[in-house]
Protein backbone atom coordinates (compact mmCIF):
# COMPACT_ATOMS: atom_id res chain seq x y z
CA UNK A 1 0.00 0.00 0.00
CA UNK A 2 1.13 3.50 -0.80
CA UNK A 3 2.12 5.53 2.24
CA UNK A 4 2.48 9.26 2.49
CA UNK A 5 6.02 10.37 3.35
CA UNK A 6 6.44 12.31 6.59
CA UNK A 7 9.49 14.60 6.57
CA UNK A 8 11.20 15.89 9.69
CA UNK A 9 12.39 19.50 9.54
CA UNK A 10 13.89 20.77 12.77
CA UNK A 11 11.34 20.05 15.41
CA UNK A 12 8.51 19.94 12.91
CA UNK A 13 7.01 17.26 10.74
CA UNK A 14 5.94 18.00 7.19
CA UNK A 15 3.35 15.95 5.37
CA UNK A 16 2.87 16.95 1.77
CA UNK A 17 -0.14 15.35 0.12
CA UNK A 18 0.65 15.09 -3.59
CA UNK A 19 -1.63 12.30 -4.69
CA UNK A 20 -5.34 11.62 -4.63
CA UNK A 21 -6.21 10.49 -1.15
CA UNK A 22 -7.75 7.09 -0.63
CA UNK A 23 -9.39 6.15 2.63
CA UNK A 24 -6.79 3.50 3.51
CA UNK A 25 -3.97 6.00 2.94
CA UNK A 26 -5.65 8.45 5.28
CA UNK A 27 -5.90 5.86 8.04
CA UNK A 28 -2.27 4.81 7.49
CA UNK A 29 -1.24 8.48 7.67
CA UNK A 30 -2.94 8.92 11.04
CA UNK A 31 -1.08 5.91 12.43
CA UNK A 32 2.27 6.88 10.93
CA UNK A 33 1.97 10.45 12.11
CA UNK A 34 1.21 9.44 15.68
CA UNK A 35 4.22 7.09 15.65
CA UNK A 36 6.52 9.76 14.21
CA UNK A 37 5.45 12.46 16.65
CA UNK A 38 6.24 10.20 19.57
CA UNK A 39 9.47 8.98 17.95
CA UNK A 40 10.87 12.42 17.09
CA UNK A 41 9.30 14.45 19.84
CA UNK A 42 8.10 16.91 17.22
CA UNK A 43 6.30 20.02 18.44
CA UNK A 44 4.55 20.94 15.22
CA UNK A 45 2.95 19.27 12.20
CA UNK A 46 2.53 21.01 8.85
CA UNK A 47 0.09 19.36 6.46
CA UNK A 48 0.48 20.69 2.94
CA UNK A 49 -2.63 20.16 0.82
CA UNK A 50 -1.70 22.41 -2.10
CA UNK A 51 -2.06 19.55 -4.56
CA UNK A 52 -5.39 18.42 -3.19
CA UNK A 53 -8.18 19.55 -5.47
CA UNK A 54 -11.04 17.33 -4.34
CA UNK A 55 -12.19 16.87 -0.78
CA UNK A 56 -15.06 15.01 0.77
CA UNK A 57 -16.33 14.93 4.32
CA UNK A 58 -13.99 12.03 5.09
CA UNK A 59 -10.91 14.06 4.18
CA UNK A 60 -12.28 16.98 6.16
CA UNK A 61 -12.73 14.79 9.20
CA UNK A 62 -9.25 13.32 8.70
CA UNK A 63 -7.75 16.81 9.05
CA UNK A 64 -9.69 17.35 12.25
CA UNK A 65 -8.67 13.94 13.60
CA UNK A 66 -4.99 14.47 12.79
CA UNK A 67 -5.12 17.83 14.53
CA UNK A 68 -6.77 16.39 17.64
CA UNK A 69 -4.31 13.52 17.68
CA UNK A 70 -1.26 15.78 17.46
CA UNK A 71 -2.65 18.05 20.14
CA UNK A 72 -2.86 15.15 22.56
CA UNK A 73 0.78 14.38 21.74
CA UNK A 74 1.61 18.05 22.41
CA UNK A 75 2.23 19.04 18.80
CA UNK A 76 0.39 21.79 16.95
CA UNK A 77 -1.08 21.25 13.50
CA UNK A 78 -1.12 23.77 10.70
CA UNK A 79 -2.93 23.01 7.45
CA UNK A 80 -1.38 24.95 4.59
CA UNK A 81 -2.04 25.69 0.93
CA UNK A 82 -5.74 24.97 0.82
CA UNK A 83 -7.18 25.80 -2.56
CA UNK A 84 -10.20 28.10 -2.86
CA UNK A 85 -12.39 25.35 -4.30
CA UNK A 86 -11.47 23.05 -1.42
CA UNK A 87 -12.16 25.76 1.15
CA UNK A 88 -15.56 26.47 -0.40
CA UNK A 89 -16.41 22.77 -0.42
CA UNK A 90 -15.49 22.36 3.23
CA UNK A 91 -17.61 25.39 4.18
CA UNK A 92 -20.55 24.05 2.19
CA UNK A 93 -20.11 20.70 3.96
CA UNK A 94 -20.29 22.57 7.24
CA UNK A 95 -16.75 21.65 8.26
CA UNK A 96 -15.12 24.81 9.52
CA UNK A 97 -12.18 22.90 11.11
CA UNK A 98 -12.38 24.86 14.34
CA UNK A 99 -9.21 24.69 16.35
CA UNK A 100 -6.97 23.95 13.39
CA UNK A 101 -4.47 26.60 12.41
CA UNK A 102 -4.19 27.42 8.73
CA UNK A 103 -1.69 29.28 6.58
CA UNK A 104 -1.39 30.20 2.93
CA UNK A 105 1.81 28.26 2.23
CA UNK A 106 4.39 25.98 3.87
CA UNK A 107 6.74 28.86 4.69
CA UNK A 108 4.05 30.83 6.51
CA UNK A 109 2.85 27.69 8.23
CA UNK A 110 6.31 26.99 9.62
CA UNK A 111 6.69 30.59 10.73
CA UNK A 112 3.33 30.36 12.49
CA UNK A 113 4.51 27.28 14.38
CA UNK A 114 7.81 28.83 15.37
CA UNK A 115 6.04 31.97 16.62
CA UNK A 116 3.89 29.72 18.76
CA UNK A 117 7.09 28.43 20.36
CA UNK A 118 6.92 25.02 18.72
CA UNK A 119 10.25 25.27 16.93
CA UNK A 120 13.81 24.90 18.31
CA UNK B 1 -48.09 17.26 -51.83
CA UNK B 2 -46.85 19.50 -54.64
CA UNK B 3 -46.81 23.25 -54.97
CA UNK B 4 -50.41 22.97 -56.27
CA UNK B 5 -52.05 25.36 -53.74
CA UNK B 6 -49.72 28.13 -54.82
CA UNK B 7 -50.74 27.77 -58.47
CA UNK B 8 -48.61 29.91 -60.74
CA UNK B 9 -47.91 32.47 -57.97
CA UNK B 10 -44.25 31.49 -57.80
CA UNK B 11 -43.74 31.89 -61.55
CA UNK B 12 -45.42 35.27 -61.52
CA UNK B 13 -43.30 36.37 -58.54
CA UNK B 14 -40.14 35.21 -60.29
CA UNK B 15 -41.12 37.20 -63.38
CA UNK B 16 -41.70 40.36 -61.35
CA UNK B 17 -38.83 39.79 -58.90
CA UNK B 18 -37.21 43.21 -59.41
CA UNK B 19 -40.47 45.11 -58.94
CA UNK B 20 -41.28 42.97 -55.93
CA UNK B 21 -37.97 43.67 -54.23
CA UNK B 22 -38.29 47.41 -54.95
CA UNK B 23 -41.81 47.58 -53.49
CA UNK B 24 -40.80 45.46 -50.48
CA UNK B 25 -37.65 47.48 -49.87
CA UNK B 26 -39.66 50.73 -49.93
CA UNK B 27 -41.93 49.42 -47.14
CA UNK B 28 -39.09 48.11 -45.01
CA UNK B 29 -36.92 51.18 -45.53
CA UNK B 30 -39.76 53.43 -44.36
CA UNK B 31 -39.82 51.68 -41.00
CA UNK B 32 -36.04 51.56 -40.58
CA UNK B 33 -35.65 55.30 -41.20
CA UNK B 34 -32.32 55.06 -42.96
CA UNK B 35 -30.47 53.09 -40.30
CA UNK B 36 -29.48 50.45 -42.85
CA UNK B 37 -28.20 51.41 -46.30
CA UNK B 38 -30.43 50.78 -49.34
CA UNK B 39 -27.77 48.62 -50.96
CA UNK B 40 -27.40 46.40 -47.91
CA UNK B 41 -31.15 46.11 -47.51
CA UNK B 42 -31.59 45.36 -51.20
CA UNK B 43 -29.17 42.48 -50.98
CA UNK B 44 -30.72 41.09 -47.80
CA UNK B 45 -34.25 41.19 -49.18
CA UNK B 46 -33.26 39.83 -52.60
CA UNK B 47 -31.53 36.83 -51.00
CA UNK B 48 -34.46 36.28 -48.70
CA UNK B 49 -37.05 36.52 -51.49
CA UNK B 50 -35.05 34.14 -53.60
CA UNK B 51 -34.86 31.63 -50.76
CA UNK B 52 -38.56 31.99 -49.92
CA UNK B 53 -39.64 31.51 -53.52
CA UNK B 54 -37.42 28.44 -53.92
CA UNK B 55 -38.75 26.97 -50.69
CA UNK B 56 -42.40 27.66 -51.46
CA UNK B 57 -41.91 26.33 -54.97
CA UNK B 58 -40.37 23.11 -53.68
CA UNK B 59 -42.30 19.89 -53.18
CA UNK B 60 -42.92 20.49 -49.48
CA UNK B 61 -44.79 23.71 -50.24
CA UNK B 62 -46.43 25.24 -47.20
CA UNK B 63 -44.63 23.40 -44.35
CA UNK B 64 -42.13 25.95 -43.02
CA UNK B 65 -40.55 23.37 -40.70
CA UNK B 66 -39.52 21.15 -43.62
CA UNK B 67 -35.86 20.93 -44.74
CA UNK B 68 -36.75 22.89 -47.90
CA UNK B 69 -36.96 25.99 -45.70
CA UNK B 70 -33.49 25.48 -44.22
CA UNK B 71 -31.96 28.34 -46.16
CA UNK B 72 -34.85 30.70 -45.42
CA UNK B 73 -34.56 29.98 -41.72
CA UNK B 74 -30.79 30.50 -41.79
CA UNK B 75 -31.23 33.87 -43.50
CA UNK B 76 -33.93 34.91 -41.05
CA UNK B 77 -31.77 33.90 -38.08
CA UNK B 78 -28.94 36.08 -39.40
CA UNK B 79 -31.28 38.95 -40.11
CA UNK B 80 -33.10 38.95 -36.78
CA UNK B 81 -29.91 38.47 -34.74
CA UNK B 82 -28.28 41.35 -36.56
CA UNK B 83 -31.35 43.55 -35.98
CA UNK B 84 -31.50 42.58 -32.31
CA UNK B 85 -27.84 43.43 -31.77
CA UNK B 86 -28.20 46.72 -33.66
CA UNK B 87 -30.99 47.67 -31.28
CA UNK B 88 -33.99 47.59 -33.61
CA UNK B 89 -37.38 47.13 -32.00
CA UNK B 90 -39.35 43.88 -32.40
CA UNK B 91 -41.84 45.39 -34.84
CA UNK B 92 -39.07 46.94 -36.93
CA UNK B 93 -37.63 43.47 -37.24
CA UNK B 94 -40.86 41.60 -37.89
CA UNK B 95 -41.89 44.12 -40.55
CA UNK B 96 -39.02 42.87 -42.70
CA UNK B 97 -40.97 39.70 -43.27
CA UNK B 98 -44.59 40.80 -43.07
CA UNK B 99 -44.31 43.57 -45.67
CA UNK B 100 -43.51 40.93 -48.27
CA UNK B 101 -47.21 40.07 -48.24
CA UNK B 102 -48.22 43.56 -49.24
CA UNK B 103 -45.54 43.69 -51.91
CA UNK B 104 -46.74 40.42 -53.44
CA UNK B 105 -50.39 41.48 -53.28
CA UNK B 106 -49.75 44.80 -54.95
CA UNK B 107 -47.20 43.72 -57.53
CA UNK B 108 -48.39 40.25 -58.48
CA UNK B 109 -52.02 40.46 -57.45
CA UNK B 110 -53.98 38.47 -54.90
CA UNK B 111 -55.86 35.45 -56.13
CA UNK B 112 -57.04 32.32 -54.38
CA UNK B 113 -53.44 31.12 -54.15
CA UNK B 114 -52.48 34.15 -52.06
CA UNK B 115 -53.94 32.75 -48.83
CA UNK B 116 -51.55 29.75 -48.46
CA UNK B 117 -48.65 32.04 -49.35
CA UNK B 118 -49.76 34.51 -46.71
CA UNK B 119 -49.86 31.68 -44.14
CA UNK B 120 -46.27 30.77 -44.98
CA UNK B 121 -45.17 34.37 -44.49
CA UNK B 122 -47.00 34.50 -41.14
CA UNK B 123 -45.10 31.41 -39.98
CA UNK B 124 -41.80 32.88 -41.09
CA UNK B 125 -42.65 36.15 -39.32
CA UNK B 126 -43.26 34.33 -36.07
CA UNK B 127 -40.01 32.46 -36.49
CA UNK B 128 -38.18 35.77 -37.02
CA UNK B 129 -39.70 37.18 -33.90
CA UNK B 130 -38.72 34.16 -31.83
CA UNK B 131 -35.13 34.34 -33.01
CA UNK B 132 -35.08 38.06 -32.30
CA UNK B 133 -36.26 37.47 -28.74
CA UNK B 134 -33.69 34.74 -28.22
CA UNK B 135 -30.88 36.95 -29.48
CA UNK B 136 -32.00 39.71 -27.11
CA UNK B 137 -32.04 37.32 -24.18
CA UNK B 138 -28.53 36.19 -25.02
CA UNK B 139 -27.38 39.81 -25.01
CA UNK B 140 -28.98 40.38 -21.62
CA UNK B 141 -27.45 37.24 -20.13
CA UNK B 142 -24.05 38.22 -21.47
CA UNK B 143 -24.30 41.71 -20.02
CA UNK B 144 -25.40 40.39 -16.65
CA UNK B 145 -22.32 38.17 -16.60
CA UNK B 146 -20.03 41.05 -17.55
CA UNK B 147 -21.57 43.18 -14.84
CA UNK B 148 -20.90 40.42 -12.35
CA UNK B 149 -17.23 40.38 -13.34
CA UNK B 150 -16.97 44.16 -13.37
CA UNK B 151 -18.60 44.70 -10.04
CA UNK B 152 -16.12 42.68 -8.00
CA UNK B 153 -12.65 44.18 -8.16
CA UNK B 154 -10.10 43.04 -5.61
CA UNK B 155 -7.57 45.76 -4.84
CA UNK B 156 -4.21 45.48 -3.12
CA UNK B 157 -3.83 47.99 -0.32
CA UNK B 158 -0.49 46.91 1.08
CA UNK B 159 1.78 43.92 0.51
CA UNK B 160 -0.24 41.19 2.20
CA UNK B 161 -3.47 43.17 2.49
CA UNK B 162 -6.19 43.14 -0.15
CA UNK B 163 -9.54 44.90 -0.11
CA UNK B 164 -12.79 43.90 -1.73
CA UNK B 165 -15.13 46.88 -2.05
CA UNK B 166 -18.60 45.48 -2.56
CA UNK B 167 -21.04 47.68 -4.46
CA UNK B 168 -24.64 46.71 -5.05
CA UNK B 169 -26.96 44.03 -3.81
CA UNK B 170 -25.35 40.74 -2.89
CA UNK B 171 -27.44 37.86 -4.18
CA UNK B 172 -26.43 34.21 -4.18
CA UNK B 173 -24.93 34.22 -7.68
CA UNK B 174 -22.90 37.32 -6.99
CA UNK B 175 -21.83 36.13 -3.56
CA UNK B 176 -20.47 33.00 -5.18
CA UNK B 177 -18.43 35.03 -7.68
CA UNK B 178 -17.18 37.33 -4.93
CA UNK B 179 -16.16 34.39 -2.77
CA UNK B 180 -14.27 32.63 -5.55
CA UNK B 181 -12.56 35.80 -6.70
CA UNK B 182 -11.46 36.80 -3.22
CA UNK B 183 -10.11 33.36 -2.35
CA UNK B 184 -8.27 33.10 -5.66
CA UNK B 185 -6.71 36.51 -5.09
CA UNK B 186 -5.55 35.44 -1.64
CA UNK B 187 -3.74 32.51 -3.22
CA UNK B 188 -2.34 34.53 -6.13
CA UNK B 189 -1.02 37.40 -4.02
CA UNK B 190 -0.23 35.43 -0.90
CA UNK B 191 -2.13 37.98 1.19
CA UNK B 192 -2.89 37.17 4.80
CA UNK B 193 -5.47 39.87 5.31
CA UNK B 194 -8.57 40.66 3.30
CA UNK B 195 -10.82 43.61 4.02
CA UNK B 196 -14.40 43.26 2.82
CA UNK B 197 -15.86 46.73 2.53
CA UNK B 198 -19.65 46.80 2.46
CA UNK B 199 -20.13 50.58 2.21
CA UNK B 200 -21.77 50.12 -1.18
CA UNK B 201 -24.12 47.33 -0.14
CA UNK B 202 -27.57 48.92 0.22
CA UNK B 203 -29.00 46.36 2.62
CA UNK B 204 -27.74 43.51 4.73
CA UNK B 205 -30.17 40.72 5.46
CA UNK B 206 -29.58 37.29 6.94
CA UNK B 207 -28.81 35.86 3.51
CA UNK B 208 -26.13 38.45 2.75
CA UNK B 209 -24.64 37.91 6.20
CA UNK B 210 -24.64 34.17 5.60
CA UNK B 211 -22.71 34.67 2.35
CA UNK B 212 -20.20 36.93 4.06
CA UNK B 213 -19.69 34.47 6.89
CA UNK B 214 -19.14 31.60 4.47
CA UNK B 215 -16.54 33.60 2.59
CA UNK B 216 -14.75 34.47 5.80
CA UNK B 217 -14.74 30.90 7.08
CA UNK B 218 -13.39 29.70 3.72
CA UNK B 219 -10.65 32.34 3.81
CA UNK B 220 -9.75 31.22 7.33
CA UNK B 221 -9.45 27.65 6.17
CA UNK B 222 -6.92 28.86 3.66
CA UNK B 223 -4.97 30.70 6.30
CA UNK B 224 -6.13 34.26 5.73
CA UNK B 225 -8.03 36.59 8.03
CA UNK B 226 -10.96 38.77 6.91
CA UNK B 227 -12.04 42.10 8.33
CA UNK B 228 -15.44 43.58 7.53
CA UNK B 229 -15.51 47.35 7.13
CA UNK B 230 -17.83 50.09 5.95
CA UNK B 231 -20.72 49.23 8.24
CA UNK B 232 -23.08 52.19 8.14
CA UNK B 233 -25.16 53.05 11.21
CA UNK B 234 -28.43 51.79 9.69
CA UNK B 235 -26.71 48.57 8.63
CA UNK B 236 -25.37 48.10 12.15
CA UNK B 237 -28.91 48.51 13.50
CA UNK B 238 -30.25 45.97 11.01
CA UNK B 239 -27.52 43.50 11.89
CA UNK B 240 -28.31 43.76 15.58
CA UNK B 241 -32.07 43.68 15.02
CA UNK B 242 -31.75 40.52 12.93
CA UNK B 243 -29.57 38.93 15.57
CA UNK B 244 -26.72 38.22 13.16
CA UNK B 245 -23.62 37.13 15.02
CA UNK B 246 -20.25 37.87 13.48
CA UNK B 247 -18.52 36.05 16.32
CA UNK B 248 -14.81 36.71 16.52
CA UNK B 249 -14.67 38.32 13.08
CA UNK B 250 -13.26 41.82 13.25
CA UNK B 251 -15.67 44.54 12.10
CA UNK B 252 -14.76 48.17 11.60
CA UNK B 253 -16.76 51.26 10.70
CA UNK B 254 -14.43 52.47 7.96
CA UNK B 255 -11.92 51.04 5.53
CA UNK B 256 -9.22 53.20 7.13
CA UNK B 257 -9.77 51.59 10.52
CA UNK B 258 -9.71 48.14 8.97
CA UNK B 259 -6.45 48.86 7.14
CA UNK B 260 -4.92 50.19 10.34
CA UNK B 261 -5.93 47.00 12.15
CA UNK B 262 -4.47 44.78 9.42
CA UNK B 263 -1.19 46.74 9.33
CA UNK B 264 -0.99 46.58 13.10
CA UNK B 265 -1.45 42.82 13.09
CA UNK B 266 1.19 42.34 10.41
CA UNK B 267 3.41 44.62 12.41
CA UNK B 268 4.04 47.23 9.71
CA UNK B 269 5.58 50.52 10.66
CA UNK B 270 4.31 52.81 7.89
CA UNK B 271 6.77 55.62 8.58
CA UNK B 272 9.72 53.22 8.54
CA UNK B 273 8.48 51.64 5.31
CA UNK B 274 8.22 55.06 3.69
CA UNK B 275 11.69 56.15 4.65
CA UNK B 276 13.00 52.82 3.39
CA UNK B 277 11.49 53.58 -0.01
CA UNK B 278 12.80 57.11 0.07
CA UNK B 279 9.40 58.80 0.22
Amino acid sequence: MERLPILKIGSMLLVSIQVDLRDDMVIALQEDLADRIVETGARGVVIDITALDIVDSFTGRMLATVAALSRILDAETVVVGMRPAVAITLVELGLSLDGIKTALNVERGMRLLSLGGAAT
Amino acid sequence: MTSEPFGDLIERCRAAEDDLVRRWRADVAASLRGRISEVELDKELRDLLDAVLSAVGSSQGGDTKSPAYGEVRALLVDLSRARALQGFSPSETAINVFTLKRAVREVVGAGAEFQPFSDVIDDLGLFTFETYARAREEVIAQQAEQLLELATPVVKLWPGVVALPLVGTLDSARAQVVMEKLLQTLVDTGSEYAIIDITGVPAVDTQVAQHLLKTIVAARLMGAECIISGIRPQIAQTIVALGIEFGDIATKATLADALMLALGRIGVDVAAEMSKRGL
Side-chain angles (χ1 to χ4, degrees), chain B residues 44 57 121 188 231 250 273:
Chain B
E44 263 179 12
I121 299 299
D188 295 344
I231 301 172
E273 282 287 323

Side-chain angles (χ1 to χ4, degrees), chain B residues 29-49:
Chain B
S31 75
L32 297 181
R33 295 194 299 272
R35 277 176 288 175
I36 291 182
S37 75
E38 292 268 311
V39 184
E40 209 179 322
L41 196 58
D42 191 80
K43 188 180 177 311
E44 263 179 12
L45 297 183
R46 202 172 282 275
D47 288 349
L48 190 56
L49 180 63

Side-chain angles (χ1 to χ4, degrees), chain B residues 12-60:
Chain B
R12 282 186 298 162
C13 285
R14 283 277 183 212
E17 208 170 322
D18 280 337
D19 285 339
L20 208 52
V21 170
R22 208 169 305 129
R23 181 74 189 80
W24 189 12
R25 196 185 62 206
D27 276 340
V28 175
S31 75
L32 297 181
R33 295 194 299 272
R35 277 176 288 175
I36 291 182
S37 75
E38 292 268 311
V39 184
E40 209 179 322
L41 196 58
D42 191 80
K43 188 180 177 311
E44 263 179 12
L45 297 183
R46 202 172 282 275
D47 288 349
L48 190 56
L49 180 63
D50 190 43
V52 170
L53 292 179
S54 317
V56 174
S58 75
S59 56
Q60 266 111 0

Side-chain angles (χ1 to χ4, degrees), chain B:
Chain B
M1 188 171 152
T2 61
S3 57
E4 207 57 30
F6 298 104
D8 59 349
L9 187 71
I10 306 305
E11 287 75 51
R12 282 186 298 162
C13 285
R14 283 277 183 212
E17 208 170 322
D18 280 337
D19 285 339
L20 208 52
V21 170
R22 208 169 305 129
R23 181 74 189 80
W24 189 12
R25 196 185 62 206
D27 276 340
V28 175
S31 75
L32 297 181
R33 295 194 299 272
R35 277 176 288 175
I36 291 182
S37 75
E38 292 268 311
V39 184
E40 209 179 322
L41 196 58
D42 191 80
K43 188 180 177 311
E44 263 179 12
L45 297 183
R46 202 172 282 275
D47 288 349
L48 190 56
L49 180 63
D50 190 43
V52 170
L53 292 179
S54 317
V56 174
S58 75
S59 56
Q60 266 111 0
D63 178 13
T64 56
K65 296 208 167 47
S66 68
Y69 281 85
E71 200 194 337
V72 181
R73 281 200 302 265
L75 283 170
L76 286 177
V77 166
D78 287 348
L79 182 135
S80 48
R81 289 188 72 94
R83 294 285 196 276
L85 295 179
Q86 285 159 355
F88 286 95
S89 76
S91 38
E92 281 164 349
T93 306
I95 212 161
N96 274 288
V97 177
F98 289 127
T99 44
L100 175 60
K101 279 205 273 190
R102 199 195 311 175
V104 169
R105 198 174 54 228
E106 286 179 11
V107 175
V108 185
E113 66 280 5
F114 183 70
Q115 193 51 46
F117 182 74
S118 168
D119 289 345
V120 168
I121 299 299
D122 285 345
D123 276 354
L124 293 178
L126 286 178
F127 176 76
T128 311
F129 190 71
E130 246 173 60
T131 322
Y132 172 90
R134 208 173 306 138
R136 270 292 177 89
E137 274 163 27
E138 276 169 27
V139 171
I140 293 171
Q142 211 174 357
Q143 283 173 345
E145 205 172 301
Q146 284 172 351
L147 203 64
L148 216 57
E149 288 287 315
L150 266 185
T152 50
V154 182
V155 290
K156 181 180 167 184
L157 292 182
W158 196 269
V161 184
V162 291
L164 180 77
L166 290 178
V167 176
T169 318
L170 210 59
D171 58 10
S172 297
R174 189 148 172 247
Q176 192 68 27
V177 174
V178 167
M179 189 196 250
E180 280 166 18
K181 189 137 184 219
L182 177 67
L183 299 184
Q184 193 53 52
T185 314
L186 291 176
V187 175
D188 295 344
T189 61
S191 303
E192 278 181 325
Y193 285 90
I195 300 170
I196 302 177
D197 187 80
I198 58 168
T199 314
V201 180
V204 172
D205 55 15
T206 44
Q207 210 190 356
V208 172
Q210 185 66 25
H211 289 314
L212 282 177
L213 287 175
K214 271 189 188 170
T215 311
I216 293 167
V217 173
R220 272 196 184 162
L221 282 177
M222 291 173 50
E225 211 35 58
C226 289
I227 302 167
I228 300 177
S229 78
I231 301 172
R232 282 174 285 128
Q234 309 95 297
I235 300 282
Q237 290 199 10
T238 326
I239 290 174
V240 173
L242 287 173
I244 297 166
E245 278 289 337
F246 279 123
D248 55 349
I249 297 159
T251 51
K252 291 282 173 190
T254 64
L255 186 60
D257 292 341
L259 178 61
M260 212 115 75
L261 177 71
L263 292 181
R265 287 208 193 151
I266 300 178
V268 174
D269 181 347
V270 180
E273 282 287 323
M274 282 174 79
S275 64
K276 212 191 297 175
R277 293 185 187 195
L279 292 171

Side-chain angles (χ1 to χ4, degrees), chain A residues 68-80:
Chain A
L69 190 138
S70 337
R71 207 174 304 126
I72 290 177
L73 296 170
D74 195 24
E76 257 196 291
T77 308
V78 182
V79 174
V80 303

